[in-house]
Amino acid sequence: MQETGTPGRPEQERGYLPVPAEQEREELPGLADLQVRGRPVKIWAIGAGAVVLAISAAFGGLNKAEAENPPLAAGTAVNAGQFEVTVQRVVTVTDLKPLFTPEPGGALIAVVTKLKVTDDTGATPPSDLIRLIGVPGLEDDARPVGTATLDDNTQSPVLTPDAAEDVAYVFKLPKLSELPTEAKVTVQGYEHYDESLLDHHEKWLPADIVAEGTIKVTDKTKPSKS
């Protein structure tokens, strides 16, 4: 006897129907549709990224692997953001009384700079603006014992905008068999933020090192010959 009608699919003959293609897999929600604590994941990701950048800026910026800093030469101005910095010379002295005195048997090493504020607001030069690297007796992250102007010996001076001022960064050296004849100097850069995410105030924050170079050290610890 000949069967009538359309032959069924094997799946139909076994008693079930195939799932339509558009329903074969459950649709996963996209990033824009996911929510955490009632807020889209995308917003959380953007917020987390902003916090990372803010904290990074506050503590010196993200490290750039194998980045080379621009060379620093004595007498050449460097743009450090908040300041224009010119390292004029590096000298060693026995003391700078009454402002600075070394440890017994030690000496002082000073980086003499010419600084100019680029902002429209006066500022005190930060202690981390100048660093000495690889100097015997000094840690690479050592801060100066102080800063002072050369013309009137004002310590931690407040610089006025657009007025260049000679400022010495003074570090203490321990007793050494030989004083350094050269020193690697770095200049810290600063980046301006209209509103910091940490405290919502306009400020300059440390960024990258903008220049570094080896400068000859002039020894003035010995009496000059007449």
Side-chain angles (χ1 to χ4, degrees):
M1 179 177 179
Q2 184 178 3
E3 294 182 1
T4 60
T6 303
R9 298 179 181 177
E11 293 87 348
Q12 292 173 323
E13 294 174 357
R14 289 198 292 269
Y16 64 86
L17 296 176
V19 179
E22 61 273 13
Q23 298 180 7
E24 286 184 354
R25 59 181 180 275
E26 182 180 357
E27 292 292 338
L28 296 176
L31 177 63
D33 300 323
L34 288 176
Q35 293 194 349
V36 176
R37 297 181 182 178
R39 299 178 64 187
V41 168
K42 185 175 182 181
I43 293 179
W44 284 102
I46 293 174
V51 170
V52 168
L53 290 176
I55 294 176
S56 169
F59 293 97
L62 297 174
N63 292 328
K64 296 182 178 180
E66 300 181 358
E68 293 186 0
N69 297 316
L72 174 68
T76 301
V78 173
N79 180 8
Q82 189 179 12
F83 302 92
E84 180 184 276
V85 181
T86 303
V87 173
Q88 301 182 84
R89 57 191 178 277
V90 181
V91 299
T92 52
V93 295
T94 53
D95 65 65
L96 291 172
K97 294 179 180 178
L99 301 181
F100 309 108
T101 302
E103 301 297 336
L108 300 175
I109 183 169
V111 181
V112 180
T113 67
K114 184 176 290 293
L115 303 180
K116 183 167 69 174
V117 178
T118 62
D119 199 4
D120 56 3
T121 303
T124 297
S127 62
D128 62 352
L129 178 63
I130 299 294
R131 285 283 188 270
L132 291 173
I133 307 297
V135 174
L138 277 182
E139 298 291 337
D140 288 349
D141 60 351
R143 292 176 180 265
V145 294
T147 59
T149 57
L150 268 61
D151 59 350
D152 59 6
N153 297 331
T154 298
Q155 291 184 268
S156 301
V158 176
L159 306 183
T160 56
D162 295 324
E165 190 79 51
D166 292 329
V167 178
Y169 277 71
V170 183
F171 300 79
K172 283 186 177 182
L173 289 176
K175 184 177 181 180
L176 300 171
S177 58
E178 292 184 2
L179 293 173
T181 58
E182 60 181 21
K184 184 177 180 181
V185 181
T186 66
V187 177
Q188 174 72 54
Y190 296 85
E191 188 171 351
H192 182 262
Y193 290 83
D194 291 329
E195 182 177 353
S196 169
L197 293 179
L198 297 178
D199 58 13
H200 304 291
H201 289 91
E202 178 183 1
K203 62 175 53 181
W204 289 87
L205 296 176
D208 297 322
I209 299 297
V210 294
E212 62 181 20
T214 301
I215 308 295
K216 179 182 177 181
V217 177
T218 302
D219 184 0
K220 290 191 175 184
T221 61
K222 301 175 182 178
S224 59
K225 296 180 180 181
S226 56

